[in-house]
Amino acid sequence: MEVANEMVIKKPKRLTSVVWNHFERVRKADLCYAVCVHCNKKLSGSSNSGTTHLRNHLMRCLKRFNYDVSQLLSAKKRKKENTLTIANISYDEGQRKEEYLKPTIVKYEPEQRKDEVFNVQSSWFDQDRSRLDLARMIILHGYPLAMVEHVGFKVFVKNLQPLFDVVPNSTVELSCMEIYGKERQKVHDMLSKLQGRINLAVEMWSSPENTNHVCMMAHYVGDDWKLQKKILNFVTLDSSHTDDLLSGVIIKCLMDWDIGSKLFAVTLDDFSTNDDIVLRIKEQILENKSRLSNGQLLDVRSAAHVLNSIVQDAMEALRVVLQKIRGTVRYVKSSQSIQGKFKEMVLQTGINSQKNLVLDCPIRWNSTYLMLETAIEYRNAFCQLPDLDLDLALSDEEWEWASSITGYLKLFVEIINVFSSSKCPTANIYFPEICHVHIQLIDWCKSPDNFLSSLAAKMKAKFDKYWSKCSLSLAVAAILDPRFKMKLVEYYYSQIYGSTALERIKEVLDGLKELFSTYSICSTLMDQGSALPLGSLPSSSNDGRDRLKGFDKFLHETSQSQTAISDLEKYLDEPVFPRNCNFNILNWWRVHTPRYPILSMMARDVLGTPMSTVSQESAFHAGGRVLDSCRCPLTPETRQALICTQDWLRIQSDDPGPSSSHYALPLYVETN
């Protein structure tokens, strides 16, 4: 064959033009020609022919393959290696594929070309755009900044796009900070235009280096009536931080984002945190501004965290029993022969369970629950197992304790699953679950076993502290669920409080009316063109000698309460909405806003309050949230930028479509 007789000439050192990066010089007999590695077209390759005709070909050929030829030709001015060899890994452009997949059409909106749709196939290479794409990729997926220094990454990028200059670690960090600045301004502008109010969730994080961090996240119902949340700050605390420092960090966050006047509630993950933190926030940020229901709804504690804390009490009380069960399970699973003996005991005792024994992960208490649940089913087999260490044998009383506490844990697992797995965790879902825990704790305290009753009393004391602080918030959110209204409060309070239930129900109703009255006054002031914060009252005149200021205030309050309270009464008097599993409470309030204009404003803010701050991945983790080790060495400023921006970019790239995972994500997208 003709091709077989051709000999590829290695490019001599004198072929320094970057044009030769895209041609192979081939000799046939006495003739030399250049073969384009992209389209295989043969052109004259003689040293006397020069490279002008090759450049002209590239101008026509490379337009199809997303290269900026102007940058390619200008590269002649600087020395460029034809072959990149790093750690014995060779890179040769001659190995490029001859066929290319046609890139998809994406929407790209850089600052200089707004609202323009372009085809990637016909675009020119842009170093700055690719640099920002790289930074966005690192932010979005949580890659370490140092990945740009990795050999494999450099080789991959150079083979993919030789024109891209791989930037150093420090440059990527600057690009990430640049993106953070732009995205932060977008979030700031959005929050400033938000019609509803903002709830701030404060969550403590730890790190492998024993450094404490505080993550502050805004929760709110947007103007589209969808529940939203955005991380605002991720602050590294001093090792000797106190409650004073924590309150200062929260206050600074509110001031930096200019959302103090929009604040509705602060949710802290630790239910035992000193109440002075919220008091300091009220004094310094909310002074002469919104004081909702005398501050009763401002201070919220995370429901999942109090349940986790109660579980840890149960785990500690059962610590010796857990060690024995854990040791027994480990013994049974230690060899095939022992497992065979165990199966014989299972058959002899008539146990029909099909579950496999599991060894728990102690820092994840739901796995401990699964270990206990399975072990209890095989109780009789464990008792008959020969050669078992006597130190691992459980008494009948210990088995009863394990069985009772497993029942406790089952309830908490089910409830926390409801909290953490809900796609739209509006505040109304918490009240029935927390009330059920309350009722069960009351019942557990009545146990005739002193061990179990004392444990239940300790758990209930911790729960009561949480309940005294958050019960009103939980109840109001439940009342604003049209499927329940006051009926759900009446149902649970009669079981919890018995003969004093009517008094407690009246306290909830009074709190609800007080909050509604505040919103009705605020609504009227907004209609009149006033921009006063929620809870403020107008002054009819600037004249200090006006002796009827008090009358104006009295007239305003009484007239509004007489007309606006009917909005709440109308809602409460109407029949409850039928319960169904597909009910969307935010959509219900969006549709009924014209019917309940004031109450819907209140519902939007109340339902957007985060009653729990636990994430799905850390719902059962005994140690709380832990910072990724790759971000620990970063500076606090860079760490905050990466964590916050990752959260914002993930929200932007969230596609509800069922097949969104099949498509590549265009990272460099500037949304309006």
Side-chain angles (χ1 to χ4, degrees):
M1 295 178 62
E2 183 182 35
V3 177
N5 296 327
E6 296 177 356
M7 179 178 62
V8 176
I9 300 176
K10 293 185 179 180
K11 290 177 274 190
K13 293 184 179 180
R14 69 175 181 272
L15 299 179
T16 58
S17 173
V18 294
V19 172
W20 287 105
N21 289 339
H22 302 273
F23 290 91
E24 289 290 352
R25 199 176 190 201
V26 179
R27 180 186 298 276
K28 181 181 178 183
D30 295 332
L31 299 178
C32 290
Y33 52 88
V35 180
C36 176
V37 298
H38 302 292
C39 65
N40 291 328
K41 184 173 182 178
K42 298 180 181 180
L43 297 95
S44 174
S46 171
S47 58
N48 297 327
S49 302
T51 58
T52 301
H53 64 298
L54 302 181
R55 295 172 186 271
N56 292 337
H57 170 74
L58 289 178
M59 291 296 293
R60 295 187 299 273
C61 176
L62 294 185
K63 286 183 179 179
R64 294 176 295 170
F65 299 114
N66 192 25
Y67 285 87
D68 186 345
V69 181
S70 63
Q71 294 189 31
L72 175 68
L73 299 181
S74 64
K76 180 183 177 182
K77 298 179 181 178
R78 62 181 186 271
K79 183 177 180 180
K80 190 176 182 70
E81 295 180 352
N82 291 329
T83 303
L84 173 66
T85 304
I86 304 176
N88 297 325
I89 302 177
S90 297
Y91 154 72
D92 188 349
E93 285 194 53
Q95 298 175 357
R96 285 186 175 276
K97 293 183 178 180
E98 296 182 0
E99 296 182 356
Y100 292 81
L101 294 176
K102 182 179 180 181
T104 185
I105 296 178
V106 298
K107 187 174 182 180
Y108 171 56
E109 299 176 351
E111 296 180 358
Q112 67 271 20
R113 291 186 296 174
K114 296 277 185 179
D115 303 324
E116 178 181 349
V117 178
F118 79 106
N119 192 319
V120 176
Q121 183 179 9
S122 63
S123 67
W124 285 5
F125 170 72
D126 187 328
Q127 171 71 23
D128 289 336
R129 172 197 165 190
S130 297
R131 172 180 55 83
L132 291 175
D133 276 348
L134 173 61
R136 278 182 171 81
M137 178 191 73
I138 289 174
I139 293 172
L140 185 62
H141 301 291
Y143 298 144
L145 295 175
M147 71 171 290
V148 297
E149 305 289 349
H150 297 170
V151 171
F153 177 77
K154 290 183 177 180
V155 172
F156 168 75
V157 171
K158 281 299 180 184
N159 277 302
L160 185 67
Q161 175 52 277
L163 297 178
F164 179 66
D165 291 330
V166 179
V167 294
N169 191 339
S170 57
T171 303
V172 173
E173 185 173 350
L174 291 175
S175 298
C176 291
M177 296 301 292
E178 177 185 348
I179 296 171
Y180 167 70
K182 292 181 179 179
E183 296 297 329
R184 187 186 187 282
Q185 187 61 48
K186 294 179 185 178
V187 177
H188 183 278
D189 294 343
M190 183 276 302
L191 293 178
S192 65
K193 298 174 183 178
L194 190 67
Q195 294 182 8
R197 305 181 73 77
I198 295 171
N199 304 281
L200 186 69
V202 180
E203 187 176 15
M204 301 300 298
W205 288 44
S206 60
S207 69
E209 300 176 346
N210 295 323
T211 304
N212 292 319
H213 312 271
V214 58
C215 179
M216 286 166 281
M217 180 176 291
H219 293 248
Y220 57 91
V221 175
D223 298 337
D224 57 355
W225 283 91
K226 292 183 179 179
L227 189 63
Q228 306 286 345
K229 58 182 180 179
K230 293 184 184 294
I231 295 178
L232 300 183
N233 290 88
F234 191 88
V235 181
T236 301
L237 298 176
D238 184 82
S239 57
S240 59
H241 84 278
T242 61
D243 287 345
D244 288 338
L245 177 60
L246 181 57
S247 61
V249 168
I250 298 173
I251 291 169
K252 187 177 186 302
C253 168
L254 297 173
M255 295 179 65
D256 289 346
W257 287 93
D258 195 25
I259 58 175
S261 61
K262 286 178 171 285
L263 189 65
F264 181 82
V266 175
T267 302
L268 302 173
D269 59 357
D270 187 355
F271 75 98
S272 62
T273 302
N274 196 321
D275 295 342
D276 291 342
I277 291 180
V278 177
L279 292 177
R280 294 188 188 100
I281 296 173
K282 291 180 184 179
E283 292 173 357
Q284 298 188 43
I285 298 297
L286 304 179
E287 186 175 4
N288 298 324
K289 293 183 179 179
S290 56
R291 295 289 183 97
L292 299 180
S293 193
N294 294 324
Q296 295 179 50
L297 291 180
L298 183 65
D299 188 0
V300 180
R301 303 301 162 95
S302 173
H305 283 80
V306 70
L307 297 184
N308 269 313
S309 180
I310 290 174
V311 166
Q312 295 311 310
D313 289 341
M315 292 294 187
E316 178 59 27
L318 203 65
R319 179 169 52 85
V320 175
V321 175
L322 284 175
Q323 289 175 351
K324 291 182 178 181
I325 293 177
R326 196 175 287 126
T328 302
V329 173
R330 187 179 291 112
Y331 168 74
V332 171
K333 297 172 72 68
S334 62
S335 69
Q336 292 291 336
S337 62
I338 297 178
Q339 290 183 38
K341 293 179 181 179
F342 180 74
K343 290 180 179 179
E344 292 178 4
M345 295 299 101
V346 170
L347 294 175
Q348 291 178 10
T349 54
I351 299 173
N352 296 322
S353 177
Q354 301 298 317
K355 295 181 180 178
N356 295 321
L357 289 177
V358 293
L359 195 62
D360 71 327
C361 175
I363 63 172
R364 296 193 62 84
W365 62 265
N366 60 329
S367 69
T368 303
Y369 159 72
L370 293 175
M371 181 185 72
L372 282 172
E373 184 184 46
T374 306
I376 290 170
E377 293 189 17
Y378 291 106
R379 170 182 174 176
N380 293 334
F382 283 135
C383 295
Q384 301 296 325
L385 192 63
D387 302 326
L388 181 65
D389 192 333
L390 294 178
D391 293 336
L392 299 178
L394 274 71
S395 65
D396 291 341
E397 186 179 45
E398 288 176 325
W399 276 114
E400 292 301 321
W401 292 347
S403 179
S404 296
I405 292 179
T406 300
Y408 300 173
L409 297 181
K410 181 179 181 180
L411 173 65
F412 295 131
V413 167
E414 292 172 349
I415 291 178
I416 291 184
N417 275 331
V418 172
F419 294 167
S420 61
S421 61
S422 176
K423 294 181 179 180
C424 186
T426 47
N428 59 302
I429 70 173
Y430 294 89
F431 181 75
E433 305 294 342
I434 295 299
C435 284
H436 190 65
V437 171
H438 199 166
I439 294 170
Q440 290 300 313
L441 285 170
I442 293 173
D443 186 58
W444 296 341
C445 287
K446 299 175 183 178
S447 172
D449 187 295
N450 291 332
F451 172 80
L452 295 175
S453 61
S454 60
L455 170 60
K458 182 179 180 181
M459 296 161 68
K460 188 175 183 301
K462 188 172 289 187
F463 177 86
D464 287 344
K465 184 177 180 181
Y466 163 80
W467 178 259
S468 64
K469 183 175 294 296
C470 300
S471 59
L472 179 60
S473 304
L474 294 167
V476 169
I479 295 170
L480 292 174
D481 189 326
R483 300 170 297 172
F484 303 131
K485 301 186 179 181
M486 285 297 300
K487 294 298 182 181
L488 191 66
V489 177
E490 295 169 0
Y491 169 74
Y492 277 115
Y493 274 31
S494 63
Q495 300 178 63
I496 294 172
Y497 293 111
S499 59
T500 62
L502 291 179
E503 298 176 10
R504 300 290 186 171
I505 293 171
K506 184 178 182 302
E507 291 176 1
V508 172
L509 187 58
D510 290 343
L512 176 67
K513 290 180 179 179
E514 184 180 352
L515 179 61
F516 178 76
S517 177
T518 306
Y519 270 86
S520 64
I521 295 173
C522 177
S523 175
T524 303
L525 297 180
M526 292 174 62
D527 292 341
Q528 295 174 354
S530 301
L532 295 176
L534 194 58
S536 299
L537 291 172
S539 174
S540 59
S541 172
N542 293 326
D543 186 357
R545 294 171 295 176
D546 186 354
R547 302 184 186 280
L548 293 179
K549 285 183 179 180
F551 172 74
D552 292 336
K553 179 179 178 181
F554 169 78
L555 181 64
H556 176 82
E557 292 177 343
T558 55
S559 61
Q560 290 305 312
S561 61
Q562 291 172 358
T563 57
I565 198 66
S566 61
D567 195 359
L568 176 60
E569 288 181 341
K570 179 170 58 177
Y571 169 78
L572 294 178
D573 290 342
E574 292 176 346
V576 296
F577 192 79
R579 286 202 305 128
N580 63 78
C581 58
N582 297 321
F583 180 72
N584 186 323
I585 188 171
L586 294 180
N587 186 59
W588 190 93
W589 278 106
R590 179 185 64 81
V591 172
H592 289 79
T593 295
R595 182 171 179 80
Y596 310 109
I598 299 173
L599 195 60
S600 63
M601 292 170 51
M602 189 175 85
R604 178 180 56 196
D605 298 336
V606 171
L607 295 174
T609 303
M611 295 296 179
S612 178
T613 59
V614 70
S615 62
Q616 189 170 6
E617 62 272 14
S618 62
F620 301 99
H621 200 289
R625 300 290 296 273
V626 180
L627 185 67
D628 193 309
S629 58
C630 73
R631 288 175 172 169
C632 291
L634 302 174
T635 64
E637 294 77 13
T638 302
R639 186 185 302 123
Q640 174 175 255
L642 293 178
I643 291 176
C644 291
T645 313
Q646 181 186 51
D647 177 69
W648 303 335
L649 293 181
R650 279 178 175 174
I651 293 174
Q652 292 178 16
S653 63
D654 186 19
D655 185 358
S659 59
S660 60
S661 61
H662 296 180
Y663 297 92
L665 174 67
L667 297 184
Y668 191 62
V669 176
E670 293 286 345
T671 57
N672 292 332

